[in-house]
Tab-separated table of all heavy atoms in Angstrom:
chain	number	residue	atom	x	y	z
A	301	SER	N	179.060	66.224	108.395
A	301	SER	CA	179.529	66.626	107.074
A	301	SER	C	179.020	65.607	106.064
A	301	SER	O	177.979	65.809	105.461
A	301	SER	CB	181.051	66.764	107.046
A	301	SER	OG	181.474	67.275	105.806
A	302	CYS	N	179.679	64.471	105.940
A	302	CYS	CA	179.340	63.507	104.886
A	302	CYS	C	177.942	62.924	105.009
A	302	CYS	O	177.378	62.460	104.024
A	302	CYS	CB	180.382	62.399	104.813
A	302	CYS	SG	180.511	61.415	106.317
A	303	THR	N	177.356	62.952	106.190
A	303	THR	CA	176.008	62.411	106.363
A	303	THR	C	174.928	63.448	106.071
A	303	THR	O	173.754	63.091	105.970
A	303	THR	CB	175.816	61.856	107.783
A	303	THR	OG1	176.225	62.866	108.714
A	303	THR	CG2	176.614	60.590	108.005
A	304	GLY	N	175.303	64.696	105.940
A	304	GLY	CA	174.381	65.734	105.523
A	304	GLY	C	173.112	65.864	106.338
A	304	GLY	O	172.071	66.246	105.817
A	305	GLY	N	173.159	65.540	107.606
A	305	GLY	CA	171.980	65.654	108.459
A	305	GLY	C	171.231	64.349	108.678
A	305	GLY	O	170.192	64.334	109.339
A	306	LEU	N	171.747	63.257	108.147
A	306	LEU	CA	171.064	61.969	108.291
A	306	LEU	C	170.963	61.532	109.750
A	306	LEU	O	169.931	61.003	110.178
A	306	LEU	CB	171.769	60.896	107.453
A	306	LEU	CG	171.141	59.509	107.429
A	306	LEU	CD1	169.703	59.557	106.908
A	306	LEU	CD2	171.985	58.569	106.559
A	307	ILE	N	172.018	61.768	110.528
A	307	ILE	CA	171.962	61.386	111.943
A	307	ILE	C	170.864	62.189	112.636
A	307	ILE	O	170.034	61.630	113.361
A	307	ILE	CB	173.317	61.590	112.647
A	307	ILE	CG1	174.428	60.805	111.951
A	307	ILE	CG2	173.219	61.181	114.122
A	307	ILE	CD1	175.828	61.146	112.433
A	308	SER	N	170.844	63.487	112.382
A	308	SER	CA	169.823	64.351	112.977
A	308	SER	C	168.427	63.890	112.593
A	308	SER	O	167.515	63.867	113.428
A	308	SER	CB	169.989	65.793	112.498
A	308	SER	OG	171.263	66.259	112.789
A	309	SER	N	168.249	63.541	111.341
A	309	SER	CA	166.948	63.101	110.856
A	309	SER	C	166.480	61.863	111.602
A	309	SER	O	165.318	61.784	112.028
A	309	SER	CB	167.020	62.826	109.354
A	309	SER	OG	165.794	62.326	108.880
A	310	LEU	N	167.371	60.908	111.777
A	310	LEU	CA	166.994	59.673	112.466
A	310	LEU	C	166.719	59.914	113.948
A	310	LEU	O	165.812	59.306	114.525
A	310	LEU	CB	168.062	58.604	112.268
A	310	LEU	CG	168.170	58.084	110.833
A	310	LEU	CD1	169.413	57.223	110.664
A	310	LEU	CD2	166.922	57.313	110.443
A	311	ILE	N	167.477	60.789	114.569
A	311	ILE	CA	167.242	61.098	115.976
A	311	ILE	C	165.901	61.797	116.147
A	311	ILE	O	165.142	61.498	117.071
A	311	ILE	CB	168.400	61.937	116.549
A	311	ILE	CG1	169.610	61.009	116.745
A	311	ILE	CG2	168.014	62.628	117.851
A	311	ILE	CD1	170.867	61.679	117.185
A	312	THR	N	165.597	62.721	115.236
A	312	THR	CA	164.346	63.469	115.376
A	312	THR	C	163.132	62.703	114.889
A	312	THR	O	162.008	63.180	115.040
A	312	THR	CB	164.434	64.841	114.672
A	312	THR	OG1	164.746	64.644	113.288
A	312	THR	CG2	165.480	65.722	115.330
A	313	ASP	N	163.325	61.508	114.348
A	313	ASP	CA	162.191	60.631	114.037
A	313	ASP	C	161.492	60.165	115.308
A	313	ASP	O	160.331	59.769	115.276
A	313	ASP	CB	162.654	59.388	113.255
A	313	ASP	CG	162.809	59.641	111.774
A	313	ASP	OD1	162.356	60.698	111.286
A	313	ASP	OD2	163.397	58.778	111.096
A	314	ARG	N	162.208	60.193	116.427
A	314	ARG	CA	161.667	59.693	117.695
A	314	ARG	C	160.938	60.801	118.439
A	314	ARG	O	161.527	61.837	118.739
A	314	ARG	CB	162.807	59.160	118.557
A	314	ARG	CG	162.344	58.482	119.815
A	314	ARG	CD	163.544	57.917	120.580
A	314	ARG	NE	163.095	57.170	121.723
A	314	ARG	CZ	162.770	57.737	122.889
A	314	ARG	NH1	162.833	59.028	123.051
A	314	ARG	NH2	162.376	56.965	123.899
A	315	PRO	N	159.667	60.607	118.749
A	315	PRO	CA	158.937	61.608	119.530
A	315	PRO	C	159.621	61.837	120.876
A	315	PRO	O	160.154	60.904	121.483
A	315	PRO	CB	157.550	60.983	119.734
A	315	PRO	CG	157.434	59.948	118.666
A	315	PRO	CD	158.827	59.451	118.405
A	316	GLY	N	159.617	63.063	121.319
A	316	GLY	CA	160.213	63.383	122.615
A	316	GLY	C	161.692	63.685	122.566
A	316	GLY	O	162.302	63.957	123.607
A	317	CYS	N	162.281	63.659	121.390
A	317	CYS	CA	163.733	63.870	121.278
A	317	CYS	C	164.151	65.272	121.712
A	317	CYS	O	165.315	65.497	122.034
A	317	CYS	CB	164.231	63.560	119.880
A	317	CYS	SG	163.572	64.675	118.628
A	318	SER	N	163.204	66.208	121.756
A	318	SER	CA	163.570	67.568	122.160
A	318	SER	C	164.036	67.627	123.612
A	318	SER	O	164.654	68.602	124.022
A	318	SER	CB	162.404	68.530	121.940
A	318	SER	OG	161.291	68.138	122.704
A	319	SER	N	163.788	66.577	124.367
A	319	SER	CA	164.260	66.553	125.757
A	319	SER	C	165.768	66.326	125.847
A	319	SER	O	166.366	66.629	126.879
A	319	SER	CB	163.515	65.486	126.565
A	319	SER	OG	163.899	64.179	126.156
A	320	TYR	N	166.386	65.819	124.786
A	320	TYR	CA	167.831	65.559	124.832
A	320	TYR	C	168.589	66.027	123.593
A	320	TYR	O	169.815	66.106	123.631
A	320	TYR	CB	168.117	64.070	125.067
A	320	TYR	CG	167.499	63.153	124.040
A	320	TYR	CD1	168.126	62.893	122.837
A	320	TYR	CD2	166.268	62.541	124.286
A	320	TYR	CE1	167.540	62.054	121.898
A	320	TYR	CE2	165.682	61.703	123.352
A	320	TYR	CZ	166.322	61.464	122.163
A	320	TYR	OH	165.747	60.638	121.224
A	321	PHE	N	167.918	66.342	122.514
A	321	PHE	CA	168.626	66.730	121.287
A	321	PHE	C	168.627	68.245	121.148
A	321	PHE	O	167.576	68.864	120.991
A	321	PHE	CB	167.984	66.074	120.066
A	321	PHE	CG	168.695	66.379	118.779
A	321	PHE	CD1	170.047	66.118	118.632
A	321	PHE	CD2	168.012	66.940	117.716
A	321	PHE	CE1	170.707	66.404	117.443
A	321	PHE	CE2	168.653	67.224	116.521
A	321	PHE	CZ	170.008	66.954	116.387
A	322	MET	N	169.828	68.829	121.194
A	322	MET	CA	169.971	70.286	121.131
A	322	MET	C	169.971	70.807	119.699
A	322	MET	O	169.423	71.863	119.421
A	322	MET	CB	171.271	70.713	121.829
A	322	MET	CG	171.343	70.325	123.288
A	322	MET	SD	169.991	71.006	124.260
A	322	MET	CE	170.398	72.733	124.198
A	323	GLY	N	170.654	70.089	118.801
A	323	GLY	CA	170.719	70.541	117.420
A	323	GLY	C	171.909	69.964	116.695
A	323	GLY	O	172.729	69.246	117.275
A	324	SER	N	171.980	70.307	115.417
A	324	SER	CA	173.038	69.785	114.562
A	324	SER	C	173.494	70.857	113.595
A	324	SER	O	172.681	71.596	113.037
A	324	SER	CB	172.521	68.582	113.770
A	324	SER	OG	173.520	68.117	112.889
A	325	ALA	N	174.785	70.904	113.381
A	325	ALA	CA	175.362	71.771	112.351
A	325	ALA	C	175.789	70.878	111.197
A	325	ALA	O	176.623	69.991	111.369
A	325	ALA	CB	176.559	72.536	112.903
A	326	VAL	N	175.173	71.078	110.036
A	326	VAL	CA	175.587	70.357	108.837
A	326	VAL	C	176.613	71.251	108.156
A	326	VAL	O	176.265	72.214	107.476
A	326	VAL	CB	174.400	70.031	107.912
A	326	VAL	CG1	174.890	69.308	106.663
A	326	VAL	CG2	173.383	69.176	108.650
A	327	THR	N	177.866	70.939	108.410
A	327	THR	CA	178.974	71.775	107.930
A	327	THR	C	179.712	71.026	106.829
A	327	THR	O	180.752	70.427	107.068
A	327	THR	CB	179.915	72.146	109.089
A	327	THR	OG1	180.318	70.946	109.749
A	327	THR	CG2	179.217	73.056	110.088
A	328	TYR	N	179.140	71.103	105.645
A	328	TYR	CA	179.693	70.366	104.516
A	328	TYR	C	180.966	71.023	103.996
A	328	TYR	O	181.915	70.345	103.636
A	328	TYR	CB	178.626	70.289	103.411
A	328	TYR	CG	178.605	68.963	102.688
A	328	TYR	CD1	178.087	67.832	103.295
A	328	TYR	CD2	179.114	68.856	101.409
A	328	TYR	CE1	178.068	66.617	102.639
A	328	TYR	CE2	179.094	67.646	100.740
A	328	TYR	CZ	178.575	66.525	101.361
A	328	TYR	OH	178.560	65.332	100.707
A	329	SER	N	180.998	72.343	103.971
A	329	SER	CA	182.175	73.051	103.448
A	329	SER	C	183.188	73.319	104.557
A	329	SER	O	182.837	73.389	105.743
A	329	SER	CB	181.764	74.389	102.822
A	329	SER	OG	181.362	75.301	103.839
A	330	ASN	N	184.429	73.491	104.154
A	330	ASN	CA	185.463	73.854	105.121
A	330	ASN	C	185.147	75.197	105.765
A	330	ASN	O	185.380	75.393	106.959
A	330	ASN	CB	186.841	73.893	104.458
A	330	ASN	CG	187.372	72.508	104.168
A	330	ASN	OD1	186.826	71.503	104.624
A	330	ASN	ND2	188.449	72.434	103.415
A	331	GLU	N	184.613	76.124	104.966
A	331	GLU	CA	184.279	77.443	105.494
A	331	GLU	C	183.265	77.334	106.631
A	331	GLU	O	183.383	78.028	107.640
A	331	GLU	CB	183.733	78.349	104.379
A	331	GLU	CG	184.738	78.695	103.298
A	331	GLU	CD	184.907	77.611	102.225
A	331	GLU	OE1	184.146	76.614	102.215
A	331	GLU	OE2	185.824	77.747	101.393
A	332	ALA	N	182.278	76.467	106.469
A	332	ALA	CA	181.283	76.275	107.525
A	332	ALA	C	181.902	75.610	108.749
A	332	ALA	O	181.550	75.953	109.888
A	332	ALA	CB	180.108	75.449	107.010
A	333	LYS	N	182.798	74.676	108.527
A	333	LYS	CA	183.470	74.032	109.666
A	333	LYS	C	184.200	75.081	110.502
A	333	LYS	O	184.180	75.047	111.730
A	333	LYS	CB	184.443	72.958	109.176
A	333	LYS	CG	183.774	71.701	108.628
A	333	LYS	CD	184.810	70.747	108.037
A	333	LYS	CE	184.197	69.475	107.496
A	333	LYS	NZ	183.346	69.660	106.322
A	334	VAL	N	184.847	76.036	109.820
A	334	VAL	CA	185.594	77.093	110.510
A	334	VAL	C	184.642	78.087	111.168
A	334	VAL	O	184.750	78.368	112.361
A	334	VAL	CB	186.549	77.814	109.523
A	334	VAL	CG1	187.164	79.048	110.158
A	334	VAL	CG2	187.637	76.863	109.040
A	335	SER	N	183.708	78.638	110.392
A	335	SER	CA	182.888	79.740	110.904
A	335	SER	C	181.836	79.293	111.919
A	335	SER	O	181.539	80.039	112.848
A	335	SER	CB	182.214	80.492	109.753
A	335	SER	OG	181.274	79.670	109.092
A	336	ILE	N	181.286	78.113	111.771
A	336	ILE	CA	180.229	77.667	112.680
A	336	ILE	C	180.788	76.892	113.867
A	336	ILE	O	180.406	77.128	115.014
A	336	ILE	CB	179.180	76.822	111.923
A	336	ILE	CG1	178.485	77.696	110.872
A	336	ILE	CG2	178.170	76.200	112.890
A	336	ILE	CD1	177.615	76.932	109.901
A	337	LEU	N	181.701	75.970	113.595
A	337	LEU	CA	182.187	75.080	114.655
A	337	LEU	C	183.524	75.499	115.256
A	337	LEU	O	183.943	74.952	116.271
A	337	LEU	CB	182.311	73.653	114.114
A	337	LEU	CG	181.003	73.018	113.650
A	337	LEU	CD1	181.278	71.678	112.970
A	337	LEU	CD2	180.026	72.866	114.799
A	338	GLY	N	184.203	76.434	114.614
A	338	GLY	CA	185.491	76.875	115.137
A	338	GLY	C	186.646	75.953	114.814
A	338	GLY	O	187.688	76.003	115.477
A	339	VAL	N	186.493	75.102	113.801
A	339	VAL	CA	187.629	74.282	113.367
A	339	VAL	C	188.720	75.240	112.888
A	339	VAL	O	188.452	76.203	112.165
A	339	VAL	CB	187.215	73.309	112.241
A	339	VAL	CG1	188.426	72.585	111.673
A	339	VAL	CG2	186.191	72.314	112.756
A	340	ARG	N	189.940	74.996	113.295
A	340	ARG	CA	191.050	75.872	112.911
A	340	ARG	C	191.424	75.648	111.447
A	340	ARG	O	191.508	74.501	110.992
A	340	ARG	CB	192.259	75.617	113.803
A	340	ARG	CG	192.012	76.011	115.259
A	340	ARG	CD	193.163	75.646	116.121
A	340	ARG	NE	193.390	74.195	115.975
A	340	ARG	CZ	194.257	73.502	116.665
A	340	ARG	NH1	195.011	74.087	117.551
A	340	ARG	NH2	194.392	72.209	116.480
A	341	GLU	N	191.636	76.735	110.752
A	341	GLU	CA	192.073	76.634	109.354
A	341	GLU	C	193.374	75.840	109.259
A	341	GLU	O	193.566	75.075	108.318
A	341	GLU	CB	192.231	78.029	108.745
A	341	GLU	CG	190.912	78.698	108.484
A	341	GLU	CD	191.049	80.039	107.785
A	341	GLU	OE1	192.058	80.272	107.091
A	341	GLU	OE2	190.116	80.843	107.925
A	342	SER	N	194.238	76.000	110.237
A	342	SER	CA	195.513	75.276	110.225
A	342	SER	C	195.290	73.766	110.305
A	342	SER	O	196.054	72.994	109.714
A	342	SER	CB	196.414	75.748	111.366
A	342	SER	OG	195.793	75.525	112.625
A	343	THR	N	194.258	73.333	111.009
A	343	THR	CA	193.937	71.903	111.083
A	343	THR	C	193.521	71.397	109.712
A	343	THR	O	193.971	70.334	109.264
A	343	THR	CB	192.815	71.645	112.110
A	343	THR	OG1	193.255	72.101	113.391
A	343	THR	CG2	192.451	70.175	112.181
A	344	LEU	N	192.669	72.156	109.037
A	344	LEU	CA	192.209	71.768	107.705
A	344	LEU	C	193.360	71.745	106.704
A	344	LEU	O	193.443	70.844	105.870
A	344	LEU	CB	191.103	72.706	107.236
A	344	LEU	CG	189.802	72.581	108.029
A	344	LEU	CD1	188.893	73.774	107.774
A	344	LEU	CD2	189.094	71.284	107.697
A	345	ILE	N	194.258	72.708	106.793
A	345	ILE	CA	195.398	72.764	105.873
A	345	ILE	C	196.353	71.604	106.132
A	345	ILE	O	196.791	70.928	105.209
A	345	ILE	CB	196.125	74.125	105.992
A	345	ILE	CG1	195.227	75.239	105.440
A	345	ILE	CG2	197.470	74.086	105.267
A	345	ILE	CD1	195.698	76.640	105.780
A	346	GLU	N	196.647	71.365	107.396
A	346	GLU	CA	197.636	70.339	107.749
A	346	GLU	C	197.102	68.910	107.608
A	346	GLU	O	197.820	68.020	107.150
A	346	GLU	CB	198.128	70.559	109.179
A	346	GLU	CG	199.256	69.626	109.576
A	346	GLU	CD	199.816	69.947	110.952
A	346	GLU	OE1	199.588	71.050	111.466
A	346	GLU	OE2	200.492	69.049	111.509
A	347	HIS	N	195.838	68.690	108.004
A	347	HIS	CA	195.307	67.329	108.055
A	347	HIS	C	194.186	67.052	107.057
A	347	HIS	O	193.877	65.890	106.797
A	347	HIS	CB	194.812	67.014	109.468
A	347	HIS	CG	195.861	67.160	110.518
A	347	HIS	ND1	196.860	66.234	110.699
A	347	HIS	CD2	196.080	68.145	111.428
A	347	HIS	CE1	197.651	66.635	111.692
A	347	HIS	NE2	197.197	67.780	112.145
A	348	GLY	N	193.531	68.092	106.574
A	348	GLY	CA	192.413	67.931	105.652
A	348	GLY	C	191.091	67.821	106.388
A	348	GLY	O	191.050	67.597	107.600
A	349	ALA	N	190.019	67.991	105.627
A	349	ALA	CA	188.675	67.917	106.216
A	349	ALA	C	188.358	66.510	106.710
A	349	ALA	O	187.633	66.338	107.691
A	349	ALA	CB	187.630	68.367	105.200
A	350	VAL	N	188.891	65.516	106.027
A	350	VAL	CA	188.648	64.131	106.422
A	350	VAL	C	189.849	63.657	107.227
A	350	VAL	O	190.818	63.116	106.691
A	350	VAL	CB	188.388	63.235	105.194
A	350	VAL	CG1	188.109	61.802	105.636
A	350	VAL	CG2	187.223	63.780	104.379
A	351	SER	N	189.794	63.943	108.522
A	351	SER	CA	190.875	63.560	109.426
A	351	SER	C	190.319	63.469	110.839
A	351	SER	O	189.298	64.092	111.160
A	351	SER	CB	192.008	64.596	109.389
A	351	SER	OG	191.556	65.850	109.890
A	352	GLU	N	190.999	62.707	111.653
A	352	GLU	CA	190.569	62.598	113.048
A	352	GLU	C	190.700	63.936	113.757
A	352	GLU	O	189.877	64.275	114.615
A	352	GLU	CB	191.372	61.512	113.763
A	352	GLU	CG	191.005	60.117	113.291
A	352	GLU	CD	191.822	59.034	113.957
A	352	GLU	OE1	192.986	58.829	113.555
A	352	GLU	OE2	191.280	58.401	114.892
Side-chain angles (χ1 to χ4, degrees):
S301 186
C302 62
T303 51
L306 183 58
I307 303 170
S308 303
S309 177
L310 292 170
I311 286 175
T312 58
D313 278 348
R314 187 177 185 277
C317 65
S318 60
S319 70
Y320 57 84
F321 183 55
M322 300 302 292
S324 177
V326 179
T327 53
Y328 218 74
S329 71
N330 286 349
E331 294 82 7
K333 288 174 179 67
V334 171
S335 66
I336 296 170
L337 298 173
V339 173
R340 294 175 303 186
E341 287 184 25
S342 60
T343 300
L344 292 165
I345 291 167
E346 186 175 342
H347 302 284
V350 181
S351 65
E352 289 178 282

